[in-house]
Amino acid sequence: MALSREQIVAAAIEVADEGGLDAVTMRLVGQRLGATGMALYRHIANREALIEAMIDAVIGEFCYPEPRPSHWRDALAALARQDWRSYLAHPWMLAATATSRPPMGPNMLNSMEWALACFDGFDLTVRERLYLFSVVIAHGQGLALTWTQDRRPGATKWWQEQLAGVDMPRLQAIPAEFGDEELDFGEEFEFGLQRVLDGLQSYLDNR
């Protein structure tokens, strides 16, 4: 069968979604497409290049909105929510992008330029823009690291079992607060995001 770079990248993303980034090999992706691993090298130089293409494809899938919201807070909230959705849809993206040296594909570059432009109109240094942007990104990455490791239902029940008989009033208040309600990681993400943005608001106001 005739292969295209887009088909190869899409198949590799499917493999990573099912088995994680370590599962992605040229041989396995080729098998999924009914081709040999060697056939893939006509379109993709190596596994590293394939992973870079996968990352950029997902970034394009969850691209930031255009036009960008006019208020910096709305823009950064939209950015954080898109990144959060990408981590839940493709958990391997977290490990692939939470690094000081992320692959700089076209979509990655466009997304970073979009993010840094959120602070246009403020008298900020390049360093300040980068650090403020990183604070927002880190919130989603940190919470996703917790929730993408184990997304099975029943987290509330697990906490109730662990804290049963623990004579510590503040810990006992946790199951009392939630009862049978399932822990909502989306709610936790939104709550934390707004507090992060509150902190940025305070910094920019004082700045």
Side-chain angles (χ1 to χ4, degrees):
M1 63 176 289
L3 292 177
S4 69
R5 180 182 176 88
E6 291 73 22
Q7 287 176 310
I8 295 169
V9 171
I13 290 172
E14 290 179 359
V15 171
D17 288 346
E18 295 169 7
L21 208 55
D22 289 343
V24 178
T25 65
M26 302 297 270
R27 180 183 62 81
L28 188 56
V29 174
Q31 287 179 353
R32 180 159 299 225
L33 292 169
T36 65
M38 290 302 297
L40 274 59
Y41 287 104
R42 301 190 187 100
H43 305 274
I44 304 285
N46 49 43
R47 181 178 182 272
E48 183 179 82
L50 176 57
I51 291 173
E52 290 179 0
M54 291 163 57
I55 293 169
D56 214 55
V58 172
I59 292 173
E61 178 187 353
F62 292 89
C63 59
Y64 302 149
E66 292 291 355
R68 184 175 48 253
S70 58
H71 195 283
W72 69 266
R73 184 170 181 135
D74 295 332
L76 289 177
L79 172 157
R81 290 173 185 136
Q82 282 298 85
D83 284 356
W84 175 250
R85 293 180 187 114
S86 76
Y87 299 144
L88 297 184
H90 307 286
W92 55 270
M93 274 289 287
L94 181 60
T97 58
T99 170
S100 61
R101 300 180 182 182
M104 291 295 182
N107 289 325
M108 174 68 84
L109 293 171
N110 287 336
S111 68
M112 291 185 67
E113 180 72 8
W114 189 103
L116 294 173
C118 294
F119 300 108
D120 286 355
F122 292 97
D123 184 20
L124 298 173
T125 66
V126 172
R127 188 185 304 249
E128 285 174 305
R129 289 186 187 224
L130 184 61
Y131 288 173
L132 292 172
F133 160 52
S134 297
V135 168
V136 177
I137 295 296
H139 165 64
Q141 288 177 337
L143 197 57
L145 181 62
T146 299
W147 284 106
T148 59
Q149 299 303 307
D150 186 354
R151 294 167 64 180
R152 294 173 296 174
T156 300
K157 183 179 180 181
W158 184 90
W159 277 95
Q160 290 173 336
E161 293 171 349
Q162 301 306 307
L163 297 177
V166 175
D167 188 20
M168 298 179 181
R170 295 165 187 82
L171 290 177
Q172 281 294 319
I174 296 174
E177 170 75 19
F178 287 93
D180 294 329
E181 176 187 353
E182 189 62 48
L183 295 177
D184 186 341
F185 54 85
E187 177 183 275
E188 185 177 358
F189 167 76
E190 283 294 334
F191 179 87
L193 174 60
Q194 295 307 317
R195 303 296 74 76
V196 169
L197 295 176
D198 288 346
L200 265 66
Q201 180 77 67
S202 176
Y203 181 84
L204 293 172
D205 288 346
N206 292 328
R207 185 69 170 76

